[in-house]
Amino acid sequence: MPFSAILGRISKLLLGDEAEHYAAIERSLWDGSLHQPATPMSDAELAKAIAEFRKTPPSAGSVKKLGRRFNPQK
């Protein structure tokens, strides 16, 4: 799946004032520090992962935690 597809789904879950969170996800996908879900996530699963991510300021640690939600087997 192209990055644009997952980013489109994520952008619908973030509020307008959460541009830093979106930018952190986008940057991490492009630089390879965050990988897309290996298996498709339902809207509910993705919403839960993004809600957890939104609770803290965007950082390398919070992106890493999001990555574990995207790919728990890694």
Side-chain angles (χ1 to χ4, degrees), residues 30-48:
W30 285 109
D31 73 15
S33 59
L34 178 65
H35 301 280
Q36 294 187 69
T39 57
M41 293 180 87
S42 70
D43 288 342
E45 291 170 321
L46 183 60
K48 187 173 180 178

Side-chain angles (χ1 to χ4, degrees), residues 15-60:
L15 303 173
D17 62 342
E18 295 174 317
E20 289 181 34
H21 283 83
Y22 181 83
I25 293 169
E26 182 179 39
R27 183 176 47 254
S28 298
L29 284 168
W30 285 109
D31 73 15
S33 59
L34 178 65
H35 301 280
Q36 294 187 69
T39 57
M41 293 180 87
S42 70
D43 288 342
E45 291 170 321
L46 183 60
K48 187 173 180 178
I50 295 300
E52 253 185 44
F53 179 68
R54 289 172 42 201
K55 291 179 183 178
T56 59
S59 66

